[in-house]
Amino acid sequence: MIRIRQGQCGGPDLVVGADLGATWVRVQARRRGKPLAPFTSRAAPVSEIGKLFHALWRRRGWTSGRVGALVVASRGVWTAGERRALAYRLGGLARRVVVLSDAQAAHLGALGGRPGVLVLSGTGSIVIGRSPRGRWARAGGLGPLLGDEGSGFWLGQQWLRLTTRGEDFHPARRLVTGPNPVMRIASLAPVVIRRARAGDARARAIVRAGQAHLASQAADVAKRLRLDRPVTLSWAGSVLDDRWFRAGLKRAVRRAGLPARWQPPREAPVAAAARLASLAAPARPRRTASRGAGRARRT
């Protein structure tokens, strides 16, 4: 569970939130509550994210003393041990560093901290829910080797499996053997969705299967958390930004037997991380009335 206590006496001047997705790294900073110019970069391995952040800090003129809190919403972390390990590696960037799953940040941003289920489908996919008491449950999110059904990668992978035959293997081989094959295969998802929308039977079968996987996972998470019906659902990720795909998911959720009340996402994960950073920042020390008073307290 995520526990962030708001500091007393007002927070520091500068806080930073970051979203480490599979395709992009997004950073949003706030000074005295006002957002600064955002930063976006191609995703880097989580193990190397410290280098990217240190370079950004130097470019912006930030120091660990000036940044009151850094909240990082990262892919590939879920357990307390994983969160602590990444927070330790980033410890020199701010007075307080908090790490949480990118899926949790997406949920908190989409639903504003309220209970419900978030369906996330971008390069990867995961369904994550939160109960009224703050208990979390998830389905999927196992990565491209073990799952990610209904994700951009999964849609592209299924299309390649279905359409690659004989000599047609060479274009697919270039995708697989080139740099960052997961991202390159996921980039086929918009093509698959467009073909499905245009009536291509093969693409439509893939899209419907992906929607059915996501709907089944949403029903499973809602059942495990015993959420009241209708369940509040929201969405995130580039695949679900497509309105036609999203409409198909809503139909699949009904077919899965889950009464749902759909809510558009309130804010992006990086904005949620920046908002949490404002709450996580240590308080500014109280200023003494005079130097004499300060000396009196120290004696």
Side-chain angles (χ1 to χ4, degrees), residues 134-158:
R135 186 165 66 92
W136 293 93
R138 55 176 283 186
L142 300 176
L145 295 180
L146 296 178
D148 276 358
E149 296 88 351
S151 68
F153 170 81
W154 187 89
L155 294 172
Q157 179 196 55
Q158 297 302 306

PDB file of all heavy atoms in Angstrom, residues 134-158:
ATOM      1  N   GLY A 134      -8.226   0.639   0.365  1.00  0.00           N
ATOM      2  CA  GLY A 134      -6.876   0.840  -0.161  1.00  0.00           C
ATOM      3  C   GLY A 134      -6.135  -0.423  -0.525  1.00  0.00           C
ATOM      4  O   GLY A 134      -4.928  -0.378  -0.776  1.00  0.00           O
ATOM      5  N   ARG A 135      -6.837  -1.554  -0.580  1.00  0.00           N
ATOM      6  CA  ARG A 135      -6.177  -2.801  -0.975  1.00  0.00           C
ATOM      7  C   ARG A 135      -6.104  -2.865  -2.497  1.00  0.00           C
ATOM      8  O   ARG A 135      -7.065  -2.541  -3.190  1.00  0.00           O
ATOM      9  CB  ARG A 135      -6.944  -4.015  -0.428  1.00  0.00           C
ATOM     10  CG  ARG A 135      -6.239  -5.342  -0.667  1.00  0.00           C
ATOM     11  CD  ARG A 135      -6.839  -6.433   0.198  1.00  0.00           C
ATOM     12  NE  ARG A 135      -8.210  -6.742  -0.175  1.00  0.00           N
ATOM     13  CZ  ARG A 135      -8.545  -7.697  -1.055  1.00  0.00           C
ATOM     14  NH1 ARG A 135      -7.586  -8.407  -1.654  1.00  0.00           N
ATOM     15  NH2 ARG A 135      -9.808  -7.933  -1.332  1.00  0.00           N
ATOM     16  N   TRP A 136      -4.938  -3.313  -3.006  1.00  0.00           N
ATOM     17  CA  TRP A 136      -4.710  -3.381  -4.447  1.00  0.00           C
ATOM     18  C   TRP A 136      -4.812  -4.829  -4.936  1.00  0.00           C
ATOM     19  O   TRP A 136      -4.479  -5.769  -4.211  1.00  0.00           O
ATOM     20  CB  TRP A 136      -3.316  -2.857  -4.795  1.00  0.00           C
ATOM     21  CG  TRP A 136      -3.114  -1.395  -4.555  1.00  0.00           C
ATOM     22  CD1 TRP A 136      -2.613  -0.823  -3.421  1.00  0.00           C
ATOM     23  CD2 TRP A 136      -3.385  -0.326  -5.461  1.00  0.00           C
ATOM     24  NE1 TRP A 136      -2.556   0.538  -3.560  1.00  0.00           N
ATOM     25  CE2 TRP A 136      -3.023   0.873  -4.798  1.00  0.00           C
ATOM     26  CE3 TRP A 136      -3.896  -0.263  -6.754  1.00  0.00           C
ATOM     27  CZ2 TRP A 136      -3.162   2.125  -5.398  1.00  0.00           C
ATOM     28  CZ3 TRP A 136      -4.035   0.977  -7.354  1.00  0.00           C
ATOM     29  CH2 TRP A 136      -3.675   2.153  -6.684  1.00  0.00           C
ATOM     30  N   ALA A 137      -5.244  -4.981  -6.180  1.00  0.00           N
ATOM     31  CA  ALA A 137      -5.216  -6.280  -6.864  1.00  0.00           C
ATOM     32  C   ALA A 137      -4.931  -6.016  -8.329  1.00  0.00           C
ATOM     33  O   ALA A 137      -5.285  -4.965  -8.873  1.00  0.00           O
ATOM     34  CB  ALA A 137      -6.525  -7.033  -6.695  1.00  0.00           C
ATOM     35  N   ARG A 138      -4.300  -6.978  -8.976  1.00  0.00           N
ATOM     36  CA  ARG A 138      -3.919  -6.798 -10.380  1.00  0.00           C
ATOM     37  C   ARG A 138      -4.123  -8.090 -11.142  1.00  0.00           C
ATOM     38  O   ARG A 138      -4.184  -9.174 -10.578  1.00  0.00           O
ATOM     39  CB  ARG A 138      -2.456  -6.372 -10.490  1.00  0.00           C
ATOM     40  CG  ARG A 138      -1.518  -7.330  -9.790  1.00  0.00           C
ATOM     41  CD  ARG A 138      -0.067  -6.970  -9.969  1.00  0.00           C
ATOM     42  NE  ARG A 138       0.418  -7.358 -11.292  1.00  0.00           N
ATOM     43  CZ  ARG A 138       1.690  -7.261 -11.668  1.00  0.00           C
ATOM     44  NH1 ARG A 138       2.585  -6.779 -10.833  1.00  0.00           N
ATOM     45  NH2 ARG A 138       2.060  -7.637 -12.872  1.00  0.00           N
ATOM     46  N   ALA A 139      -4.212  -7.942 -12.463  1.00  0.00           N
ATOM     47  CA  ALA A 139      -4.244  -9.089 -13.375  1.00  0.00           C
ATOM     48  C   ALA A 139      -3.456  -8.692 -14.608  1.00  0.00           C
ATOM     49  O   ALA A 139      -3.493  -7.542 -15.047  1.00  0.00           O
ATOM     50  CB  ALA A 139      -5.668  -9.458 -13.744  1.00  0.00           C
ATOM     51  N   GLY A 140      -2.729  -9.659 -15.161  1.00  0.00           N
ATOM     52  CA  GLY A 140      -1.886  -9.345 -16.310  1.00  0.00           C
ATOM     53  C   GLY A 140      -0.631  -8.608 -15.875  1.00  0.00           C
ATOM     54  O   GLY A 140      -0.167  -8.745 -14.745  1.00  0.00           O
ATOM     55  N   GLY A 141      -0.081  -7.826 -16.795  1.00  0.00           N
ATOM     56  CA  GLY A 141       1.125  -7.076 -16.477  1.00  0.00           C
ATOM     57  C   GLY A 141       2.353  -7.939 -16.305  1.00  0.00           C
ATOM     58  O   GLY A 141       3.287  -7.561 -15.595  1.00  0.00           O
ATOM     59  N   LEU A 142       2.370  -9.109 -16.951  1.00  0.00           N
ATOM     60  CA  LEU A 142       3.484 -10.041 -16.773  1.00  0.00           C
ATOM     61  C   LEU A 142       4.593  -9.858 -17.805  1.00  0.00           C
ATOM     62  O   LEU A 142       5.554 -10.614 -17.810  1.00  0.00           O
ATOM     63  CB  LEU A 142       2.960 -11.479 -16.823  1.00  0.00           C
ATOM     64  CG  LEU A 142       1.926 -11.837 -15.750  1.00  0.00           C
ATOM     65  CD1 LEU A 142       1.422 -13.256 -15.957  1.00  0.00           C
ATOM     66  CD2 LEU A 142       2.520 -11.663 -14.361  1.00  0.00           C
ATOM     67  N   GLY A 143       4.441  -8.887 -18.688  1.00  0.00           N
ATOM     68  CA  GLY A 143       5.482  -8.632 -19.671  1.00  0.00           C
ATOM     69  C   GLY A 143       5.268  -9.414 -20.952  1.00  0.00           C
ATOM     70  O   GLY A 143       4.437 -10.328 -21.023  1.00  0.00           O
ATOM     71  N   PRO A 144       6.023  -9.081 -21.986  1.00  0.00           N
ATOM     72  CA  PRO A 144       5.789  -9.685 -23.303  1.00  0.00           C
ATOM     73  C   PRO A 144       6.058 -11.180 -23.362  1.00  0.00           C
ATOM     74  O   PRO A 144       5.469 -11.879 -24.188  1.00  0.00           O
ATOM     75  CB  PRO A 144       6.753  -8.910 -24.214  1.00  0.00           C
ATOM     76  CG  PRO A 144       7.804  -8.366 -23.297  1.00  0.00           C
ATOM     77  CD  PRO A 144       7.098  -8.074 -22.012  1.00  0.00           C
ATOM     78  N   LEU A 145       6.917 -11.701 -22.494  1.00  0.00           N
ATOM     79  CA  LEU A 145       7.229 -13.128 -22.553  1.00  0.00           C
ATOM     80  C   LEU A 145       6.127 -13.990 -21.937  1.00  0.00           C
ATOM     81  O   LEU A 145       5.940 -15.142 -22.340  1.00  0.00           O
ATOM     82  CB  LEU A 145       8.556 -13.411 -21.850  1.00  0.00           C
ATOM     83  CG  LEU A 145       9.803 -12.787 -22.486  1.00  0.00           C
ATOM     84  CD1 LEU A 145      11.050 -13.143 -21.673  1.00  0.00           C
ATOM     85  CD2 LEU A 145       9.967 -13.253 -23.931  1.00  0.00           C
ATOM     86  N   LEU A 146       5.410 -13.438 -20.960  1.00  0.00           N
ATOM     87  CA  LEU A 146       4.432 -14.247 -20.233  1.00  0.00           C
ATOM     88  C   LEU A 146       2.989 -13.818 -20.451  1.00  0.00           C
ATOM     89  O   LEU A 146       2.077 -14.521 -20.022  1.00  0.00           O
ATOM     90  CB  LEU A 146       4.744 -14.197 -18.722  1.00  0.00           C
ATOM     91  CG  LEU A 146       6.070 -14.798 -18.288  1.00  0.00           C
ATOM     92  CD1 LEU A 146       6.262 -14.645 -16.786  1.00  0.00           C
ATOM     93  CD2 LEU A 146       6.154 -16.273 -18.674  1.00  0.00           C
ATOM     94  N   GLY A 147       2.771 -12.690 -21.093  1.00  0.00           N
ATOM     95  CA  GLY A 147       1.382 -12.271 -21.221  1.00  0.00           C
ATOM     96  C   GLY A 147       1.221 -10.954 -21.951  1.00  0.00           C
ATOM     97  O   GLY A 147       1.525 -10.839 -23.127  1.00  0.00           O
ATOM     98  N   ASP A 148       0.763  -9.930 -21.216  1.00  0.00           N
ATOM     99  CA  ASP A 148       0.435  -8.617 -21.787  1.00  0.00           C
ATOM    100  C   ASP A 148      -0.660  -8.717 -22.846  1.00  0.00           C
ATOM    101  O   ASP A 148      -0.660  -7.988 -23.844  1.00  0.00           O
ATOM    102  CB  ASP A 148       1.676  -7.942 -22.374  1.00  0.00           C
ATOM    103  CG  ASP A 148       2.478  -7.195 -21.320  1.00  0.00           C
ATOM    104  OD1 ASP A 148       2.043  -7.175 -20.154  1.00  0.00           O
ATOM    105  OD2 ASP A 148       3.523  -6.630 -21.653  1.00  0.00           O
ATOM    106  N   GLU A 149      -1.617  -9.629 -22.626  1.00  0.00           N
ATOM    107  CA  GLU A 149      -2.709  -9.783 -23.581  1.00  0.00           C
ATOM    108  C   GLU A 149      -3.470  -8.466 -23.748  1.00  0.00           C
ATOM    109  O   GLU A 149      -3.734  -7.761 -22.784  1.00  0.00           O
ATOM    110  CB  GLU A 149      -3.683 -10.871 -23.103  1.00  0.00           C
ATOM    111  CG  GLU A 149      -3.092 -12.261 -23.039  1.00  0.00           C
ATOM    112  CD  GLU A 149      -2.431 -12.570 -21.703  1.00  0.00           C
ATOM    113  OE1 GLU A 149      -2.288 -11.626 -20.893  1.00  0.00           O
ATOM    114  OE2 GLU A 149      -2.058 -13.741 -21.494  1.00  0.00           O
ATOM    115  N   GLY A 150      -3.840  -8.173 -24.989  1.00  0.00           N
ATOM    116  CA  GLY A 150      -4.586  -6.962 -25.277  1.00  0.00           C
ATOM    117  C   GLY A 150      -3.743  -5.711 -25.371  1.00  0.00           C
ATOM    118  O   GLY A 150      -4.262  -4.619 -25.609  1.00  0.00           O
ATOM    119  N   SER A 151      -2.432  -5.854 -25.218  1.00  0.00           N
ATOM    120  CA  SER A 151      -1.538  -4.690 -25.305  1.00  0.00           C
ATOM    121  C   SER A 151      -1.179  -4.409 -26.762  1.00  0.00           C
ATOM    122  O   SER A 151      -1.478  -5.198 -27.674  1.00  0.00           O
ATOM    123  CB  SER A 151      -0.252  -4.967 -24.525  1.00  0.00           C
ATOM    124  OG  SER A 151       0.512  -5.991 -25.175  1.00  0.00           O
ATOM    125  N   GLY A 152      -0.495  -3.271 -26.966  1.00  0.00           N
ATOM    126  CA  GLY A 152      -0.014  -2.970 -28.307  1.00  0.00           C
ATOM    127  C   GLY A 152       0.945  -4.034 -28.808  1.00  0.00           C
ATOM    128  O   GLY A 152       0.885  -4.442 -29.975  1.00  0.00           O
ATOM    129  N   PHE A 153       1.843  -4.507 -27.926  1.00  0.00           N
ATOM    130  CA  PHE A 153       2.766  -5.571 -28.330  1.00  0.00           C
ATOM    131  C   PHE A 153       2.001  -6.831 -28.699  1.00  0.00           C
ATOM    132  O   PHE A 153       2.290  -7.468 -29.716  1.00  0.00           O
ATOM    133  CB  PHE A 153       3.756  -5.869 -27.206  1.00  0.00           C
ATOM    134  CG  PHE A 153       4.574  -7.107 -27.458  1.00  0.00           C
ATOM    135  CD1 PHE A 153       5.678  -7.059 -28.289  1.00  0.00           C
ATOM    136  CD2 PHE A 153       4.219  -8.316 -26.890  1.00  0.00           C
ATOM    137  CE1 PHE A 153       6.429  -8.216 -28.551  1.00  0.00           C
ATOM    138  CE2 PHE A 153       4.954  -9.471 -27.143  1.00  0.00           C
ATOM    139  CZ  PHE A 153       6.056  -9.413 -27.978  1.00  0.00           C
ATOM    140  N   TRP A 154       1.029  -7.211 -27.881  1.00  0.00           N
ATOM    141  CA  TRP A 154       0.277  -8.440 -28.128  1.00  0.00           C
ATOM    142  C   TRP A 154      -0.476  -8.356 -29.453  1.00  0.00           C
ATOM    143  O   TRP A 154      -0.485  -9.320 -30.226  1.00  0.00           O
ATOM    144  CB  TRP A 154      -0.685  -8.681 -26.968  1.00  0.00           C
ATOM    145  CG  TRP A 154      -1.407  -9.994 -27.015  1.00  0.00           C
ATOM    146  CD1 TRP A 154      -0.995 -11.179 -26.490  1.00  0.00           C
ATOM    147  CD2 TRP A 154      -2.685 -10.240 -27.624  1.00  0.00           C
ATOM    148  NE1 TRP A 154      -1.940 -12.161 -26.728  1.00  0.00           N
ATOM    149  CE2 TRP A 154      -2.978 -11.610 -27.420  1.00  0.00           C
ATOM    150  CE3 TRP A 154      -3.598  -9.451 -28.304  1.00  0.00           C
ATOM    151  CZ2 TRP A 154      -4.161 -12.195 -27.878  1.00  0.00           C
ATOM    152  CZ3 TRP A 154      -4.776 -10.029 -28.775  1.00  0.00           C
ATOM    153  CH2 TRP A 154      -5.046 -11.384 -28.562  1.00  0.00           C
ATOM    154  N   LEU A 155      -1.093  -7.220 -29.746  1.00  0.00           N
ATOM    155  CA  LEU A 155      -1.810  -7.064 -31.006  1.00  0.00           C
ATOM    156  C   LEU A 155      -0.856  -7.199 -32.191  1.00  0.00           C
ATOM    157  O   LEU A 155      -1.160  -7.884 -33.179  1.00  0.00           O
ATOM    158  CB  LEU A 155      -2.509  -5.702 -31.059  1.00  0.00           C
ATOM    159  CG  LEU A 155      -3.637  -5.473 -30.050  1.00  0.00           C
ATOM    160  CD1 LEU A 155      -4.087  -4.023 -30.094  1.00  0.00           C
ATOM    161  CD2 LEU A 155      -4.812  -6.413 -30.308  1.00  0.00           C
ATOM    162  N   GLY A 156       0.315  -6.537 -32.090  1.00  0.00           N
ATOM    163  CA  GLY A 156       1.284  -6.643 -33.169  1.00  0.00           C
ATOM    164  C   GLY A 156       1.841  -8.038 -33.314  1.00  0.00           C
ATOM    165  O   GLY A 156       2.030  -8.539 -34.439  1.00  0.00           O
ATOM    166  N   GLN A 157       2.098  -8.692 -32.193  1.00  0.00           N
ATOM    167  CA  GLN A 157       2.631 -10.056 -32.222  1.00  0.00           C
ATOM    168  C   GLN A 157       1.636 -11.018 -32.864  1.00  0.00           C
ATOM    169  O   GLN A 157       2.007 -11.857 -33.706  1.00  0.00           O
ATOM    170  CB  GLN A 157       2.941 -10.507 -30.795  1.00  0.00           C
ATOM    171  CG  GLN A 157       3.474 -11.919 -30.676  1.00  0.00           C
ATOM    172  CD  GLN A 157       3.394 -12.425 -29.244  1.00  0.00           C
ATOM    173  OE1 GLN A 157       2.323 -12.417 -28.639  1.00  0.00           O
ATOM    174  NE2 GLN A 157       4.538 -12.835 -28.712  1.00  0.00           N
ATOM    175  N   GLN A 158       0.354 -10.912 -32.472  1.00  0.00           N
ATOM    176  CA  GLN A 158      -0.658 -11.798 -33.042  1.00  0.00           C
ATOM    177  C   GLN A 158      -0.813 -11.565 -34.543  1.00  0.00           C
ATOM    178  O   GLN A 158      -1.020 -12.511 -35.309  1.00  0.00           O
ATOM    179  CB  GLN A 158      -1.999 -11.584 -32.332  1.00  0.00           C
ATOM    180  CG  GLN A 158      -1.991 -11.917 -30.852  1.00  0.00           C
ATOM    181  CD  GLN A 158      -1.570 -13.353 -30.579  1.00  0.00           C
ATOM    182  OE1 GLN A 158      -2.146 -14.294 -31.120  1.00  0.00           O
ATOM    183  NE2 GLN A 158      -0.559 -13.526 -29.741  1.00  0.00           N
TER     184      GLN A 158
END
